[in-house]
């Protein structure tokens, strides 16, 4: 077929008019909002460039704790030292069966504890400094308090033994066990959650590094893309990614913009049409004039939106952080009261002992494992269902979500054009005969919709009719001769009259004409995924309002939305989707965004929870908190269930983990001493162990239905 397919398949594209993003609209108003918020960046890396944020940074100050070194490495290196301390140091003055001592073993323990404090304690002290900077002491402050008090008092106890000869109980065992358990808890959580990808980097990779610039004498010069200027003429070879936003001056080709705009099929483009940098050229060679470079380009605007989104703090309450904050203030207050009271009714030594015991008992051994163990179990369960959860706060936020925004193409629909129905009109031809004729006349075309007709016939086992000649009908379709008859496959508009068939909403209708008489029709469109309907029902069950937001045109969007019975927004650019999520969040709603393309990346990043469909782009995956590896909408339902059950288990574990502390702290301070009840150290240790075991067992009981 020598002629261009542009006219040939004009009829296929007329109903699927692509809404192009107005990327001449500069998102300059975004820039002033994108200032880095104090305290959100990763303080462990002072040289970090603010323009390249790890996605995990936008989840608030708690998430920063995971950036203070590699917890696995710190834990494994601290473990041998910690074990020696546990073997040599009695637990609250009670020697356990596996423990032993020798002359000056307490000095050895003091030396090892100093090493452990400096090396293993560093990430907790760094985290505590950040919490105090942000005026929100929590888990890190509480751990640091326990480590400092138990270490300092124990050093004092050892010195007193040798200076005064007086035996004073030390807390080296509690110090080492607290440090090891906290390092283990953070390692478990890091391993479960993993690290976020770099959406900015993946975006940059869409644009080629070099461009083929056409010089005045028609010679070609290869030049780095960042050196392109507005007005340069660039040649784009078949199969190459377009190097910059521009206007086609010569040539025609089909441009695949699906990764960028969400439009589900390649668009036929020629002279005068705009193309977006990062889109993929089809079989033709294009000459385009560069229109936008640098900050003005489509890709750069999307990067700006992502950067702005990632600088926003998370709205997750972070219950563990809250509970730890309460414990911190309670421990300080109770310890102070205990010191004053016991100083008044006894002596300084008694006052110090009760004060230190109170602060050591406040150390959250069980609390430190309460959340990481649930996260580890939840992550494992999710992975078995094809759900990869990158940010644990996504689970908490999803459990109280109000709205879910869903992309259409590739998320709710397959993203592939298929024959939705084929009908015979004249009663003289069977549906199989119609399919054979259509497959025959379309057999030589590489057009995606033509190919879907050919594939439909193949699946039905129908042999295409052999055509003697095939020609393009300008602006209408295609015609050919077979078995002495003339056939045309054209649009309803080209036919000039309506045919009495029901066209699915959003579908493209083509009509087969034999010697001037319509004999059959084919409706083609993007199919709903099988699990899309059940997902919408599940969302309504969880009181989450579904809204579909798509780059597709009004007709295509309305068709899918009506089938599912949901609200929709059509012709959505990346900026539009971003604005939609932002406006819902500003109205106090907790928003989940589901998408798969570059056009979804900014809204995935700014949403409270971003869910990337795994078959989508790396940019979308990097911007999201959750990845659906199997690209099945039904997995979103599993994620919502997982989020609700995980959050429930977290709350239960916080009760078990912190409950012990809330009860033990006042008793440790001697609050019940007036009726003869004090917290015997051994009983305190047993209670601490029991609460840790209960927390572990409770985490393991987390299950999903089916």
């Amino acid at each position: 077929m020598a002629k261009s397919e542009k006219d040939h398949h004009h009829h296929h594209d007329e109903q699927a008019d692509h809404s192009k993003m107005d990327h001449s609209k500069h998102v300059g108003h975004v820039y002033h909002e994108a200032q880095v918020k104090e305290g959100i960046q990763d303080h462990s890396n002072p040289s970090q460039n603010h323009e390249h944020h790890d996605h995990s940074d936008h989840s608030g100050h708690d998430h920063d704790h995971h950036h203070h070194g590699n917890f696995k490495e710190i834990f494994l290196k601290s473990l041998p030292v910690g074990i020696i301390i546990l073997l040599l140091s009695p637990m609250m003055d009670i020697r356990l069966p596996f423990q032993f001592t020798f002359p000056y073993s307490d000095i050895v323990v003091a030396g090892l504890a100093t090493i452990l404090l400096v090396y293993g304690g560093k990430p907790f002290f760094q985290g505590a400094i950040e919490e105090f900077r942000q005026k929100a002491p929590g888990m890190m402050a509480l751990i640091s308090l326990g480590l400092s008090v138990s270490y300092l008092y124990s050093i004092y106890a050892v010195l007193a033994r040798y200076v005064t000869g007086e035996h004073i109980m030390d807390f080296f065992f509690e110090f080492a066990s607290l440090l090891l358990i906290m390092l283990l808890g953070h390692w478990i959580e890091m391993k479960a959650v993993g690290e976020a990808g770099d959406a900015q980097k993946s975006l940059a990779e869409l644009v080629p590094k070099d461009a083929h610039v056409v010089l005045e004498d028609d010679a070609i010069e290869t030049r780095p893309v960042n050196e392109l200027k507005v007005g340069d003429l660039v040649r784009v070879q078949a199969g190459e990614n377009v190097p910059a936003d521009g206007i086609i001056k010569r040539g025609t080709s089909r441009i695949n913009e699906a990764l960028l705009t969400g439009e589900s099929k390649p668009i036929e483009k020629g002279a005068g049409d705009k193309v977006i940098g990062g889109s993929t050229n089809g079989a033709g060679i294009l000459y385009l004039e560069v229109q936008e470079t640098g900050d003005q380009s489509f890709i750069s605007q999307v990067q700006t939106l992502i950067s702005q989104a990632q600088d926003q703090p998370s709205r997750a309450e972070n219950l563990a952080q809250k509970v730890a904050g309460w414990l911190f203030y309670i421990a300080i207050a109770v310890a102070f009261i205990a010191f004053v009271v016991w100083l008044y009714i006894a002596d300084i030594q008694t006052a110090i002992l009760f004060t230190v015991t109170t602060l050591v008992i406040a150390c959250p051994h069980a609390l430190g494992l309460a959340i990481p163990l649930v996260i580890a179990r939840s992550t494992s369960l999710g992975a078995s269902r094809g759900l990869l959860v990158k940010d644990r706060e996504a689970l908490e936020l999803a459990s109280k979500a109000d709205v879910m925004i869903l992309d259409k193409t590739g998320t709710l629909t397959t993203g592939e054009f298929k024959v939705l129905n084929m009908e015979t009109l004249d009663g003289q031809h069977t549906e199989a005969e119609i399919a054979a004729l259509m497959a025959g006349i379309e057999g030589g075309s590489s057009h995606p919709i033509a190919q879907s007709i050919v594939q439909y016939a193949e699946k039905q086992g129908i042999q295409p009719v052999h055509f003697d000649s095939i020609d393009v009908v300008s602006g209408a379709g295609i015609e050919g001769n077979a078995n002495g008859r003339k056939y045309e496959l054209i649009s309803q508009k080209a036919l000039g009259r309506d045919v009495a068939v029901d066209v699915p909403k959003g579908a493209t209708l083509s009509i087969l004409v034999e010697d001037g008489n319509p004999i059959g029709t084919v409706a083609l469109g993007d199919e709903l995924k099988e699990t899309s309907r059940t997902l919408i029902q599940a969302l309504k069950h969880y009181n989450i309002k579904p809204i579909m937001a798509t780059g597709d045109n009004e007709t295509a969007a309305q068709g899918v939305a009506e089938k599912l019975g949901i609200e929709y927004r059509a012709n959505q650019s990346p900026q539009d989707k971003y604005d939609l999520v932002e406006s819902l969040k500003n109205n106090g709603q907790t928003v989940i965004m589901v998408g798969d393309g570059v056009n979804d990346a900014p809204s995935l990043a700014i949403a409270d929870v971003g869910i990337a469909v795994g078959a989508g782009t790396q940019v979308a995956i990097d911007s999201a908190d959750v990845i659906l590896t199997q690209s099945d909408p039904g997995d979103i339902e599993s994620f919502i269930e997982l989020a609700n059950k995980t959050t429930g288990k977290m709350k239960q574990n916080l009760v078990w983990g912190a409950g012990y502390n809330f009860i033990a702290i006042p008793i440790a301070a001697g609050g019940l001493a007036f009726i003869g009840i004090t917290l015997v150290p051994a009983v305190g240790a047993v209670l601490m162990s029991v609460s840790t075991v209960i927390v572990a067992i409770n985490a393991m009981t987390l299950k999903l239905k089916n």
Side-chain angles (χ1 to χ4, degrees):
M1 293 175 61
K3 293 189 182 182
S4 162
E5 289 184 5
K6 182 173 183 180
D7 287 335
H8 164 183
H9 283 291
H10 175 79
H11 68 288
H12 287 314
D13 290 328
E14 68 181 21
Q15 292 186 37
D17 217 6
H18 165 221
S19 150
K20 299 178 183 67
M21 175 186 179
D22 177 12
H23 41 82
S24 61
K25 177 178 74 174
H26 177 43
V27 285
H29 69 276
V30 166
Y31 285 87
H32 76 276
E33 297 169 5
Q35 303 305 312
V36 176
K37 295 173 175 57
E38 271 306 313
I40 295 169
Q41 80 246 34
D42 178 359
H43 292 284
S44 66
N45 183 4
S47 64
Q48 183 185 37
N49 186 325
H50 289 316
E51 291 179 13
H52 295 282
H53 298 280
D54 187 312
H55 178 55
S56 53
D57 284 349
H58 85 274
S59 38
H61 65 266
D62 180 59
H63 229 64
D64 282 338
H65 302 153
H66 304 296
H67 299 297
H68 298 294
N70 183 327
F71 278 104
K72 175 185 177 181
E73 183 183 338
I74 297 173
F75 172 74
L76 292 177
K77 287 182 178 177
S78 300
L79 187 59
V81 179
I83 289 173
I84 295 170
I85 294 173
L86 296 178
L87 291 173
L88 295 178
S89 183
M91 182 174 70
M92 289 191 174
D93 238 10
I94 299 164
R95 186 172 300 176
L96 300 173
F98 58 82
Q99 293 179 320
F100 64 94
T101 57
F102 51 82
Y104 303 111
S105 62
D106 51 356
I107 293 179
V108 172
V109 167
L112 292 173
T114 304
I115 295 169
L116 203 57
L117 180 75
V118 172
Y119 179 69
K122 184 181 177 183
F124 301 110
F125 290 115
Q126 286 180 328
I129 289 167
E130 285 174 25
E131 287 180 348
F132 283 118
R133 272 185 191 155
Q134 293 161 3
K135 296 173 183 165
M139 185 70 78
M140 292 300 186
L142 189 59
I143 295 167
S144 299
L145 178 69
L147 291 174
S148 303
V149 170
S150 54
Y151 170 78
L152 291 172
Y153 186 80
S154 300
I155 292 293
Y156 157 75
V158 171
L159 288 173
R161 284 175 208 157
Y162 290 95
V163 174
T164 66
E166 182 185 2
H167 178 77
I168 298 175
M169 176 178 73
D170 66 57
F171 291 99
F172 282 127
F173 184 95
E174 290 67 34
F175 164 80
S177 61
L178 174 65
L179 186 61
L180 291 178
I181 285 175
M182 289 304 153
L183 287 172
L184 177 63
H186 280 76
W187 174 25
I188 289 171
E189 188 173 349
M190 276 183 69
K191 187 180 176 189
V193 174
E195 292 298 321
D198 187 347
Q200 310 269 14
K201 184 180 169 199
S202 298
L203 259 176
E205 285 171 0
L206 282 177
V207 180
K209 290 184 175 62
D210 297 314
H212 311 299
V213 180
V214 182
L215 305 178
E216 288 182 8
D217 59 357
D218 281 342
I220 300 293
E221 176 185 282
T222 301
R223 193 181 295 169
V225 167
N226 58 11
E227 292 180 15
L228 286 179
K229 296 181 179 65
V230 173
D232 280 347
L233 188 65
V234 174
R235 185 174 73 182
V236 185
Q237 303 285 94
E240 286 185 340
N241 279 13
V242 176
D245 298 357
I247 289 183
I248 297 172
K249 289 298 183 183
R250 303 202 305 272
T252 59
S253 187
R254 303 194 70 80
I255 305 289
N256 188 331
E257 297 178 342
L259 299 185
L260 301 168
T261 66
E263 174 63 42
S264 50
K265 62 178 186 292
I267 309 298
E268 183 77 36
K269 295 200 176 187
D273 289 332
K274 286 185 178 181
V275 287
I276 302 172
S279 55
T280 305
N281 185 23
I285 293 175
L286 296 176
Y287 290 83
L288 63 98
E289 183 182 301
V290 175
Q291 270 207 312
E292 306 284 4
T293 59
D295 292 345
Q296 302 288 325
S297 69
F298 177 93
I299 292 280
S300 181
Q301 290 181 25
V302 173
Q303 283 178 320
T304 301
L305 290 173
I306 291 173
S307 179
Q308 178 192 355
Q310 292 178 345
D311 282 336
Q312 296 210 359
S314 169
R315 302 199 298 176
E317 285 183 291
N318 203 324
L319 291 170
Q321 186 74 355
K322 259 188 177 175
V323 170
W326 296 334
L327 277 175
F328 177 81
Y329 287 118
I330 289 170
I332 294 289
V334 173
F336 177 76
I337 293 166
F339 180 79
V340 172
V341 170
W342 286 105
L343 183 62
Y344 179 75
I345 62 177
D347 53 39
I348 183 82
Q349 200 164 338
T350 307
I352 290 173
L353 181 62
F354 273 107
T355 302
V356 171
T357 305
T358 302
L359 293 173
V360 172
I361 286 291
C363 296
H365 287 70
L367 192 60
L369 289 175
I371 301 302
L373 287 175
V374 174
I375 290 296
R377 173 66 180 164
S378 173
T379 306
S380 170
L381 267 181
S384 69
R385 301 292 183 91
L387 307 169
L388 301 183
V389 181
K390 297 199 301 185
D391 184 348
R392 75 171 177 80
E393 293 184 346
L395 294 160
E396 182 190 333
L397 287 162
S399 69
K400 57 183 184 183
D402 302 300
V403 181
M404 181 179 286
I405 297 172
L406 298 131
D407 180 43
K408 178 181 83 70
T409 309
T411 302
L412 292 172
T413 65
T414 60
E416 299 168 7
F417 275 75
K418 292 188 178 176
V419 173
L420 301 181
N421 63 41
M422 196 173 275
E423 294 185 31
T424 178
L425 295 176
D426 65 351
Q428 295 176 16
H429 293 80
T430 64
E431 195 177 303
E433 287 172 338
I434 296 294
L437 286 163
M438 288 184 180
I441 204 168
E442 293 282 32
S445 171
S446 60
H447 188 287
I449 291 180
Q451 287 299 301
S452 66
I453 293 173
V454 174
Q455 286 163 12
Y456 174 80
E458 282 177 5
K459 282 181 187 170
Q460 305 283 328
I462 296 167
Q463 188 69 30
V465 170
H466 173 72
F467 274 73
D468 300 321
S469 64
I470 298 172
D471 288 299
V472 171
V473 182
S474 179
I478 192 168
E479 66 182 19
N481 294 302
N483 304 322
R485 294 181 180 274
K486 181 185 176 185
Y487 294 95
E488 297 167 280
L489 187 58
I490 53 177
S491 66
Q492 192 162 317
K493 182 180 176 184
L495 181 67
R497 63 183 190 272
D498 287 343
V499 289
V501 291
D502 290 328
V503 185
K505 186 74 95 170
T508 298
L509 186 73
S510 296
I511 299 157
L512 184 65
V513 178
E514 180 186 73
D515 291 338
N517 299 312
I519 60 170
T521 63
V522 61
L524 301 111
D526 196 3
E527 272 190 327
L528 272 181
K529 289 183 179 175
E530 290 178 14
T531 48
S532 291
R533 284 190 175 88
T534 53
L535 166 64
I536 299 305
Q537 290 167 359
L539 292 177
K540 290 177 178 175
H541 167 73
Y542 284 110
N543 294 318
I544 299 172
K545 179 182 178 182
I547 300 174
M548 185 181 78
T550 176
D552 264 1
N553 62 69
E554 182 77 22
T555 312
Q558 187 180 1
V560 172
E562 284 182 0
K563 285 178 191 170
L564 294 172
I566 59 174
E567 272 188 40
Y568 72 96
R569 308 278 193 283
N571 300 316
Q572 297 283 289
S573 70
Q575 179 79 53
D576 294 331
K577 290 187 180 185
Y578 184 97
D579 290 343
L580 174 61
V581 175
E582 190 172 46
S583 66
L584 289 167
K585 284 180 68 175
N586 289 342
N587 287 337
Q589 308 232 20
T590 300
V591 183
I592 300 175
M593 171 73 195
V594 184
D596 69 337
V598 171
N599 63 323
D600 301 316
S603 39
L604 285 170
I606 193 180
D608 293 301
V609 180
I611 302 178
V613 178
T617 65
Q618 188 61 41
V619 182
I621 289 168
D622 289 344
S623 304
D625 305 299
V626 183
I627 301 163
L628 307 184
T629 59
Q630 294 163 19
S631 305
D632 183 357
D635 290 338
I636 301 171
E637 182 182 348
S638 296
F639 169 69
I640 299 296
E641 182 196 351
L642 183 69
N644 280 276
K645 289 187 172 176
T646 300
T647 305
K649 284 291 180 190
M650 283 181 183
K651 289 176 179 175
Q652 291 167 18
N653 266 8
L654 287 174
V655 170
W656 284 112
Y660 151 77
N661 297 76
F662 282 119
I663 294 166
I665 286 171
I667 300 176
L672 299 179
F674 64 93
I675 55 171
I677 298 175
T678 56
L679 187 62
V680 179
V683 175
V686 168
L687 281 175
M688 187 173 70
S689 301
V690 168
S691 68
T692 305
V693 170
I694 290 173
V695 157
I697 292 171
N698 191 44
M700 292 304 106
T701 59
L702 176 63
K703 285 184 173 63
L704 289 175
K705 65 186 178 188
N706 305 332

